[in-house]
Each structure stands twice: as structure tokens, then as C-alpha cells.
Amino acid sequence: MTVKGTPKGFTTEILHHDRLRGTEHGAVHQPIHTSSQYGYEDARDLVAVFQGKPGFSYARQGTPTTAALEAKLTQMEGGLSAITFATGMAALAAVFTTLLKSGDHLLASQYVFGNTNSLFGTLAQLGIDVSLVDATDLAQVKAAVRPNTRMIFVETIGNPGTQIADLAGIGEFAKANNLVYLVDGTLTSPYLLQAKSVGASLTMHSLSKHIAGHAQALGGVVIDTGLFDWSVYPNILPTYQKGEPKTWAITQIKKKGLRDMGATLAAEPAHRISIGAETLALRLDKACANALALAQMLDKHPCVARVAYPGLQHHPQHERAASLFAGRFSTLLSFTLKPEINCVDFLNSLTLPVLATHVGDTRTLALPVAQTIYHEMGPSMRARMGIDDGLVRVSVGIEDIDDLLDDFARALDEFV
Ligand SMILES: *Cc1c(COP(=O)(O)O)cnc(C)c1O
């Protein structure tokens, strides 16, 4: 449901969404439904819900609170339908394991979130072939497709390197070849990019990041954009081939993913995520502007060897980012200090950023990449992935920009 009358803007739609779907007593938020089961006066209604009619039964498969959040996220992506999960990883695990089977090939970007890379190892053990390519280059994606390829997976912006896949080119290629195209839009959120606009079949987000936004809740979502014709997809079980083919995949992800694996988003974090989403656009406008200003300052500093940020003219995919993300270049940047500077010492000289993993918080976060999130990988793999020992990742928040610039400049100046 959208705001009455002409289509409204991104934030207007989010703010009025719950109320317009109907709440009690004029409440502006959907309530937090804590009930773990939902009963019916007439057994026929219970039967109908079990046989596919929309409704609630046992809360492992969702509650009115998660359903309200799913409707809001679907609206934000301009999609068809959505399923939420307890975390982003639960959402990814559910999509891969319910839509792929042993003997299938998953073609993925090599620039993916470390934990997703770890999940690929688990998929390989289940007999799913996974191959990684440099998805900034469409030719490499095309060359890696095999007869058993079922799905292409990319993230909108690589972390920590900020590489930007040829999102639209891959979308056209996937469409022409009937391949499912799954886009992890966590780092951009639907405010910077609706995955539908680049031809994605499905998009997922870690709701824990920008959408919740205040480091106050974990969650994940999978949204069907409505672009893929699931009647041509071989892995939909006969029991879910009912009704409109556009709904088949999300039904299977929900039934097999939530029912069998059970990583359900609880109502309380769903509510907190929903509140966070109300200010997504405001926070991102500010944090993206902050990130650009910080990247420009770092880029000129004599202690910094390289800065990776799509908003800088010298970023290899600067033009692509400018056209895809409506002039905003995300909140994530990374930079490499000159080799004589110890990046842990540098981080200890900062006073403002929180030294922590996580991205998309209102607060600026910083961490030494090689020594933390890429530690388990070992030095040779890090070298191959271009992760230098002096690499610092920054998730830029919404602080007043002068405070951020002052703190980074002062900390760097200690090493001049
Ligand atoms: C954080 C993250 C995930 C996983 O989400 P969680 O909610 O932490 O499980 C997946 N993809 C990307 C790009 C992420 O940044």
C-alpha cells in the first residue's frame, strides 16, 4: 500500500506506511506482536492458512510485526514480496540453500563480504560449485558461466576495497540467459540503489547495517523484485509451483528457509529496524557527504598512500557509481597508510571513531583490516586480494564533519 494519491517520495512512503496499512487507535507504528501462535475461530481458516492462504500460524514463519516490516522493505525496493530473517547471513544462507542444490554452479563476485565467502565454503561442502570472478568486468562474468550455472551473486559495493561490479551489465546478461541474479545491496541500501533498476531477480540486505542504522538490531531480508519468471527455474519444488510463478521463489525461501532452518526475525528487533528505516535517507545523505569530504582530505594527506572511495575521480568505477547511485557514493571508504606507519598505532591516535567492526552505524567506525576481518585468511590470500597490512576501513557516520576531519587530520599529523 502506498500513500494515497500521487506517488510520494522515499521517506514519505516509509513514514506513513504502517498507519496506512491499518493500525489500532490511530497508532503510527505497527505493534510488537509477541504471540508465538495464532489461533482461529473456525478450523477451516486454520486449514486455509496451512494450505497457502496469507495468515499466521506459528511465529517461526513470521508475525504481523515481521509482515509489516516486509511490506515496508518491499515498498522501499519497489519489489514484489519479501521475507525477513534473524540476520543478513541467515537471509543469504536461506536463499542459497533453498534455491540451489548439489551439482549446481553459483557464479559470484570475488569482492564479497568475508562471512559470505565463508558461507561459500559451506555450500561447496554441500556439493554446490562456487566460482569467483572479478565482477567489475562483465567479460569475466560471461566467460565463467557453465551449463550448470543457476545464479549470479554480487554485492553493490565491495568491502573493504569499494569495487563496483558491472551491476547493470550483469543484469542484462542474466536476463538473456535465464540466470537468477541475486544482489546484496547492504552497502547501498534501497535509498542509493533499487536492485530492480539493474535487473536483479532477488535482492538481500543485512538490516543490521544502514536500514536499522543505529547499531541497535540484527536482521536480514530477501526481496523478490518481480523480474524473474520462476516457471523456467528447475529448482522450485512441485509443491510450491502454485499460483503466479512470480511468487514461487519467495514461497520456497520462506517455507524451506524459515520453517526448516528457523532463523526467524523476532518481533522486537523487527520493530527497531522499522523505526531505523524512517531516517534512512536523512542519515545516508549526511554520512555519504561526510565520507566524500573525509576521502578527499585523506587523498591529499602525505601519510596516506591510497584511498579507495567511489566518490573520488580516480576510483576505477567512479563513473559507474555516479550513474548508479544518484550522485551519492556510500558511507564506506578504506585507505592505506604509508608503509612506515603502523596502522594500529594510527588507529589508537584517533579519538572519535569507534574501533569496531560493523558498518552503516550513525557513529563513525574504523578498523585495521588485515589484522581483524581478514586475519583468518592468512598473508598469501591477503596479498592476492590486495589487502595491505596498512589498510584501514572506515564506515563513516553522521557526526559533524569538522569534528571528523579534525580528528583524522590530527591523528595523521602525528606521523608526518
Ligand atoms: C554485514 C553484512 C552481511 C551479513 O549481515 P549480518 O546481519 O551481519 O548477518 C551480508 N552482506 C554484507 C555486504 C554485509 O555487510
Side-chain angles (χ1 to χ4, degrees):
M1 182 176 297
T2 59
V3 176
K4 283 174 235 140
T6 52
K8 301 292 191 292
F10 185 83
T11 296
T12 310
E13 291 283 359
I14 296 171
L15 290 175
H16 296 278
H17 192 272
D18 281 8
R19 166 176 95 70
L20 292 173
R21 291 178 88 236
T23 51
E24 291 178 321
H25 317 298
V28 293
H29 302 298
Q30 283 286 341
I32 300 171
H33 288 270
T34 56
S35 190
S36 52
Q37 87 264 12
Y38 293 81
Y40 293 87
E41 293 276 308
D42 183 337
R44 274 181 288 258
D45 291 333
L46 177 66
V47 169
V49 168
F50 267 78
Q51 296 186 2
K53 186 170 174 243
F56 302 95
S57 55
Y58 182 59
R60 190 181 339 103
Q61 287 184 77
T63 59
T65 313
T66 54
L69 176 61
E70 285 158 0
K72 193 174 293 182
L73 295 163
T74 301
Q75 155 76 29
M76 287 160 68
E77 278 285 352
L80 191 73
S81 53
I83 302 290
T84 51
F85 292 86
T87 64
M89 289 315 299
L92 279 173
V95 177
F96 292 136
T97 57
T98 61
L99 293 185
L100 297 173
K101 59 180 176 15
S102 175
D104 288 344
H105 174 230
L106 168 66
L107 178 53
S109 163
Q110 70 192 39
Y111 306 116
V112 294
F113 180 57
N115 298 178
T116 303
N117 217 14
S118 165
L119 175 59
F120 290 162
T122 304
L123 297 179
Q125 287 186 325
L126 297 173
I128 296 163
D129 291 339
V130 184
S131 56
L132 304 180
V133 292
D134 178 353
T136 63
D137 178 7
L138 182 58
Q140 292 200 33
V141 175
K142 288 183 175 172
V145 167
R146 305 176 192 167
N148 60 338
T149 305
R150 295 275 173 264
M151 186 185 288
I152 302 179
F153 172 76
V154 299
E155 294 179 5
T156 48
I157 302 186
N159 167 8
T162 74
Q163 300 86 352
I164 296 163
D166 186 352
L167 295 168
I170 295 170
E172 278 172 35
F173 175 71
K175 181 170 190 231
N177 292 277
N178 272 328
L179 296 168
V180 174
Y181 181 29
L182 170 62
V183 174
D184 178 339
T186 301
L187 286 192
T188 42
S189 89
Y191 182 55
L192 266 57
L193 178 85
Q194 284 187 337
K196 193 178 176 174
S197 71
V198 294
S201 327
L202 298 167
T203 182
M204 73 71 61
H205 295 277
S206 165
L207 301 172
S208 327
K209 312 291 171 55
H210 290 111
I211 295 179
H214 304 68
Q216 87 286 29
L218 299 182
V221 68
V222 181
I223 299 165
D224 192 318
T225 61
L227 295 182
F228 195 78
D229 176 9
W230 296 99
S231 68
V232 302
Y233 193 67
N235 295 350
I236 304 291
L237 297 167
T239 175
Y240 304 126
Q241 296 184 16
K242 287 194 195 112
E244 263 284 297
K246 282 189 190 308
T247 65
W248 293 359
I250 222 79
T251 303
Q252 179 155 309
I253 296 166
K254 178 173 181 174
K255 293 289 184 187
K256 302 305 281 178
L258 284 184
R259 190 179 59 198
D260 298 10
M261 289 172 257
T264 308
L265 179 63
E268 161 67 20
H271 174 73
R272 277 183 262 143
I273 291 163
S274 187
I275 302 297
E278 293 184 358
T279 55
L280 175 65
L282 281 76
R283 287 183 281 108
L284 279 189
D285 279 341
K286 175 70 171 156
C288 292
N290 279 356
L292 180 60
L294 183 60
Q296 286 167 339
M297 186 278 275
L298 293 169
D299 205 34
K300 289 192 214 98
H301 200 282
C303 294
V304 175
R306 280 184 301 285
V307 182
Y309 184 65
L312 298 174
Q313 303 267 331
H314 61 67
H315 187 282
Q317 292 93 36
H318 172 69
E319 295 300 325
R320 184 178 288 166
S323 72
L324 287 173
F325 309 145
R328 296 175 199 86
F329 296 97
S330 95
T331 64
L332 189 94
L333 63 87
S334 60
F335 62 98
T336 311
L337 292 162
K338 292 268 167 76
E340 60 277 15
I341 304 172
N342 180 303
C343 80
V344 172
D345 290 340
F346 161 73
L347 286 163
N348 283 338
S349 300
L350 292 168
T351 61
L352 203 51
V354 184
L355 305 182
T357 188
H358 192 46
V359 298
D361 188 12
T362 47
R363 283 149 286 255
T364 296
L365 317 173
L367 104 173
V369 176
Q371 298 81 352
T372 59
I373 50 176
Y374 279 79
H375 172 70
E376 197 178 306
M377 196 168 268
S380 61
M381 187 67 177
R382 279 200 297 275
R384 215 175 331 141
M385 296 194 66
I387 308 287
D388 193 283
D389 283 351
L391 186 67
V392 174
R393 184 186 77 186
V394 185
S395 169
V396 182
I398 61 170
E399 291 92 346
D400 298 293
I401 185 61
D402 288 344
D403 293 332
L404 273 181
L405 293 177
D406 287 352
D407 197 43
F408 276 84
R410 187 200 40 74
L412 284 170
D413 289 345
E414 288 181 23
F415 296 90
V416 174

